Amino acid sequence: MDDKNSLIQRDLSGRIGLFGAAANPSGQVINVKDYPREEGETTDSPAIKRALADADIQKCPVFFPAGTYIIDQTMLIPEYVSIYGVGYHSKILASKNGIKPDPDEGTKYLQPDKDGNYPMIKFSVKNTKDIKNISGNRYGVMSELFVDGAGVAKVGVDLAYVTVERTFMAIEIENVNGSAIRLDASQNNTFISVNIERCRKGIELLNGAGNNAFYRCEINESTEAGIEIGANKNLYGYKNNAYNDTPEGNDFQKCIIERGSARYGIKIINGKRNTFWNCDVTTGDVAKVYIEDKTTVENEVVRSSSLNSFYRCQFVGSKEKAILAFDSRAFRTVIEDCIFEGFIPGSEIIHVYNETHIRNNHFAKGFEDPDHKIVNKAGSNNYNVIFQPIVNRGSTKLRPKYHHMGAGVYYFDTDMGKPLFLKDSQGAPVWVDGTGAEK
């Protein structure tokens, strides 16, 4: 008869194999149920820490069978160590007293971050004097676990300075009074089918976090922002990265940000070359997407945001109040093949400041009555908005022959008091009336 460890190994072997030998170099699996609470222990944190310490020695995965594991201090996940559960039934629950740092932070591991927001689960690096040249907490998988912040934890899962090439799959994170997932200068990590519910922020990328990929992730009922990209001087990654503290090249595909009272669905305070593909954004009481131009940290201007792109995304407004789809203050934001629907007729839905490219979008509310406004808020019309028109395509008779960037919208210039579509071949403005016919 197979022993318990071999049964667990057989159960996980297929999932471990998906990610290669680096995820499980030793071939062993540690079961946290084999590490019970000892006398005087009131939470599961000490027992889990013993399991992780043995996994660190063996460089093997840690398995969380069905059950609720109450923690009151940060779980530090060592390099090469993977952690698994059985989905919603493997719950890691924050103690009602909150989360405090692991005592090893500052000795075996780096000191806790200065912001005082101690995470439930943290991927960190061993302590070193040469902080700028560390190789990072690399490789391994976190999957099929339910992380519940109980309304008291300030960070759910922390990819601290610096986490590299890890995979996060089929994870549920709920009730975090802060960021469900936070990345500090971390690179090349992959998130697949992560579901986030009722957290103040969903995903936060900071201090040059770059080239991370998010596939089919869902963020529901956030109260501040679904996704936030920027810098934080209280984290180790600040000024310890090669990207001037600017998160770059992160990729979001088929992600959903919906429900809740968040001010913004996506908030980019400081970011470059971040791309959103086929995403749905319905939350955002002020704007679905807000992109800042320049950010000041400690009286120093951090690099301006630029070259962020949105392709084939859907943005849904409100019929009760005017809400912006985009407040795009950064340089050369690209909005292409997107759908805008549910916004109040006649309302301003896109504010542009600095060369925004708007190409072939659809603004729902019919072809006959172009009633949404794209408003130039600052700078020259000659540079701020560049449309790529649909030229006489389709069978709709009321679609104008020239300078049309999608159904039911016009570009409104507040200084001139007239709608403006585009410049002609000589650079002169071309004005249109309410039906899109040239004057």
Side-chain angles (χ1 to χ4, degrees):
M1 181 180 293
D2 292 328
D3 62 25
K4 179 170 58 177
N5 195 68
S6 65
L7 287 171
I8 294 170
Q9 174 64 49
R10 181 180 299 173
D11 179 57
L12 296 179
S13 60
R15 284 174 280 173
I16 293 169
L18 286 173
F19 305 102
N24 187 23
S26 71
Q28 301 299 314
V29 176
I30 284 178
N31 185 344
V32 294
K33 292 289 190 182
D34 294 335
Y35 298 77
R37 293 187 190 183
E38 297 181 353
E39 186 176 352
E41 294 176 350
T42 58
T43 73
D44 296 304
S45 287
I48 293 172
K49 182 175 179 177
R50 291 191 288 272
L52 290 169
D54 285 350
D56 189 18
I57 294 170
Q58 300 180 49
K59 295 294 183 282
C60 67
V62 176
F63 176 55
F64 289 75
T68 297
Y69 305 88
I70 300 173
I71 63 171
D72 62 355
Q73 67 182 37
T74 298
M75 288 172 48
L76 295 175
I77 312 301
E79 186 177 16
Y80 295 110
V81 171
S82 297
I83 56 175
Y84 299 86
V86 290
Y88 195 79
H89 300 289
S90 296
K91 179 190 285 190
I92 299 173
L93 175 66
S95 164
K96 63 181 180 180
N97 297 319
I99 302 296
K100 58 182 182 291
D102 186 297
D104 283 344
E105 293 187 85
T107 54
K108 186 177 179 180
Y109 289 85
L110 291 178
Q111 290 276 358
D113 290 305
K114 294 183 291 185
D115 67 352
N117 294 330
Y118 306 125
M120 295 178 65
I121 300 172
K122 183 176 183 178
F123 297 83
S124 184
V125 295
K126 301 292 177 64
N127 208 352
T128 176
K129 294 181 180 179
D130 189 12
I131 192 170
K132 288 184 178 292
N133 294 309
I134 59 175
S135 61
N137 186 318
R138 291 175 175 267
Y139 313 126
V141 181
M142 175 179 173
S143 79
E144 298 173 83
L145 288 168
F146 173 22
V147 179
D148 188 342
V152 295
K154 297 299 179 65
V155 180
V157 178
D158 192 15
L159 281 67
Y161 182 80
V162 59
T163 305
V164 183
E165 290 285 1
R166 279 190 169 268
T167 299
F168 301 80
M169 184 170 65
I171 301 166
E172 178 88 12
I173 305 174
E174 295 185 3
N175 306 316
V176 175
N177 188 22
S179 301
I181 298 173
R182 183 175 71 179
L183 293 83
D184 178 25
S186 293
Q187 307 284 324
N188 305 326
N189 300 284
T190 302
F191 297 79
I192 304 168
S193 296
V194 174
N195 189 58
I196 297 170
E197 302 274 352
R198 297 179 300 280
C199 298
R200 190 157 60 85
K201 297 180 184 178
I203 299 169
E204 190 174 23
L205 297 100
L206 301 165
N207 301 332
N211 299 315
N212 300 287
F214 301 83
Y215 301 108
R216 291 191 178 277
C217 298
E218 188 165 336
I219 303 169
N220 295 307
E221 298 186 79
S222 53
T223 57
E224 188 170 326
I227 296 170
E228 185 168 311
I229 300 174
N232 186 334
K233 66 180 180 180
N234 293 312
L235 306 183
Y236 268 101
Y238 184 68
K239 292 191 179 299
N240 286 316
N241 60 86
Y243 303 98
N244 196 25
D245 296 318
T246 302
E248 293 191 17
N250 298 289
D251 195 70
F252 298 83
Q253 293 194 27
K254 287 190 174 297
C255 295
I256 297 174
I257 307 170
E258 63 180 0
R259 301 198 300 271
S261 58
R263 289 173 59 80
Y264 306 102
I266 299 168
K267 183 179 182 181
I268 303 177
I269 303 169
N270 178 37
K272 181 180 180 183
R273 295 190 304 107
N274 301 291
T275 305
F276 297 81
W277 305 83
N278 288 295
C279 296
D280 289 357
V281 184
T282 67
T283 192
D285 286 350
V286 176
K288 306 303 171 182
V289 179
Y290 172 79
I291 309 177
E292 186 58 86
D293 181 19
K294 295 181 180 179
T295 303
T296 302
V297 179
E298 291 185 324
N299 297 319
E300 177 182 346
V301 176
V302 180
R303 181 194 292 182
S304 301
S305 297
S306 62
L307 306 174
N308 298 290
S309 301
F310 300 80
Y311 298 101
R312 297 196 171 184
C313 297
Q314 177 172 264
F315 303 94
V316 180
S318 168
K319 295 181 180 179
E320 283 73 42
K321 63 177 181 178
I323 294 174
L324 284 172
F326 276 83
D327 190 355
S328 177
R329 307 177 182 214
F331 174 70
R332 197 168 290 174
T333 300
V334 175
I335 308 168
E336 182 169 343
D337 284 334
C338 294
I339 295 175
F340 299 80
E341 64 180 13
F343 294 88
I344 292 177
S347 64
E348 300 174 1
I349 63 170
I350 298 178
H351 285 177
V352 295
Y353 297 75
N354 196 359
E355 196 171 314
T356 300
H357 292 231
I358 302 173
R359 304 169 182 160
N360 301 342
N361 298 284
H362 176 74
F363 298 79
K365 184 57 181 151
F367 296 100
E368 310 89 4
D369 186 16
D371 51 15
H372 296 118
K373 297 177 183 177
I374 297 174
V375 180
N376 176 43
K377 298 295 289 185
S380 170
N381 290 333
N382 293 323
Y383 303 102
N384 271 5
V385 180
I386 297 179
F387 294 132
Q388 180 175 325
I390 300 174
V391 182
N392 201 22
R393 295 183 192 171
S395 58
T396 304
K397 289 187 292 185
L398 292 176
R399 181 175 286 179
K401 293 182 178 180
Y402 305 103
H403 315 309
H404 190 49
M405 89 299 280
V409 68
Y410 57 89
Y411 173 46
F412 192 87
D413 182 86
T414 52
D415 294 331
M416 301 294 292
K418 294 181 179 181
L420 171 66
F421 264 48
L422 206 64
K423 273 67 68 176
D424 64 16
S425 58
Q426 283 74 44
V430 177
W431 304 99
V432 297
D433 62 19
T435 63
E438 295 184 16
K439 283 187 175 180

